[in-house]
Amino acid sequence: MCTVVIDVADAGTARLLAVRDEDPQREWDALGEWWPDDYPGVSGIRDRRAGGAWMAANPSTGRLAVLLNRADVADLADDRAQSRGSLALESVTGRSPEGTPPMHGFNLFEVGPEGARVISWDGAELRTSPVPRGTHMIAHDDLDDADTPRIATWLPRFRALGPTEDSPDWATEWTSLLAESATLAPEDDRAIIRDNRPHGYPTQSLLYAVASISQEGVEVRDHALPRPAHWNA
């Protein structure tokens, strides 16, 4: 139940804030070039168990991708499901999912020279939705989904900050708003920094990342939270 906020300026230019929710018992590695043989030059935040990435960036292609889980509408046994961890890595090398992926549901958020888009898989249909100019937000359902409480609560606040291209300190402004959102209890369904256990999932917010994508390349900074689901120690 991760969260992504993005401001798209034009094709190939965007700024992004992403919060990762995962089981704290599932170990991970901070941003780095963990796949030199299979994905040279690609950096990402690695899941140690499956070896894939939650977020990946490829400066040489000007691409960034973030993986978010999405509910399935069709049953797929866990022992038949392939890991979704390859999706972001493949995406930043120019290979997006097609057909009927043998995976559990996902939203794959892609930013590249052609623009930004979300590829969504719910176990029955693979859909591609372009992300238009402006500020947008996505979690476990559709882009700008007003029925998702954290989007309904915080998307208007991010939009009120104005276009990030007009602010040289946009990352501080967005991070400050993320910190303000963390005054909500992490169990509150409006929260971005989350504890999803009361909602039936073992995941909690573990880190956030800010990224800029432009013709000059891709810049990503990741920040681990001091403890799961908490902004302050």
Side-chain angles (χ1 to χ4, degrees):
M1 298 178 71
C2 305
T3 306
V4 172
V5 187
I6 188 170
D7 181 37
V8 178
D10 50 41
T13 303
R15 295 164 185 88
L16 177 145
L17 167 69
V19 177
R20 186 188 186 203
D21 296 352
E22 184 52 89
D23 186 340
Q25 301 305 311
R26 187 160 183 154
E27 295 183 327
W28 53 280
D29 292 305
L31 190 72
E33 295 186 16
W34 300 108
W35 309 270
D37 296 328
D38 295 329
Y39 303 99
V42 171
S43 61
I45 295 171
R46 182 176 67 167
D47 172 61
R48 290 184 186 175
R49 182 185 301 176
W54 165 69
M55 169 185 281
N58 189 345
S60 68
T61 62
R63 297 183 183 277
L64 179 141
V66 185
L67 177 66
L68 304 91
N69 292 346
R70 185 184 179 106
D72 298 330
V73 298
D75 292 330
L76 177 64
D78 288 342
D79 59 358
R80 293 179 52 219
Q82 293 182 5
S83 170
R84 293 166 287 195
S86 64
L87 291 169
L89 295 168
E90 290 288 304
S91 171
V92 298
T93 58
R95 296 185 291 269
S96 299
E98 298 177 338
T100 54
M103 301 172 175
H104 289 304
F106 61 79
N107 284 324
L108 180 65
F109 209 103
E110 298 184 322
V111 187
E114 308 85 1
R117 65 180 185 174
V118 180
I119 300 177
S120 299
W121 169 245
D122 61 6
E125 181 184 10
L126 191 70
R127 296 184 291 112
T128 299
S129 305
V131 182
R133 183 180 178 90
T135 303
H136 305 275
M137 194 169 177
I138 193 168
H140 57 276
D141 212 319
D142 292 336
L143 186 72
D144 301 337
D145 177 29
D147 291 330
T148 302
R150 81 193 89 155
I151 293 178
T153 302
W154 295 104
L155 179 56
R157 296 290 307 280
F158 279 101
R159 285 178 169 168
L161 293 174
T164 55
E165 62 184 328
D166 295 339
S167 173
D169 205 19
W170 72 271
T172 298
E173 294 171 356
W174 278 30
T175 302
S176 296
L177 187 53
L178 180 62
E180 181 183 337
S181 80
T183 59
L184 290 171
E187 301 85 2
D188 192 318
D189 215 13
R190 298 169 297 169
I192 302 176
I193 303 299
R194 303 181 58 78
D195 183 346
N196 294 306
R197 291 174 296 179
H199 305 289
Y201 304 93
T203 57
Q204 301 176 65
S205 297
L206 303 181
L207 66 96
Y208 70 94
V210 292
S212 297
I213 306 96
S214 68
Q215 294 180 352
E216 285 71 44
V218 181
E219 179 184 356
V220 184
R221 288 174 288 160
D222 60 322
H223 309 266
L225 297 180
R227 59 189 176 109
H230 288 79
W231 185 257
N232 297 311

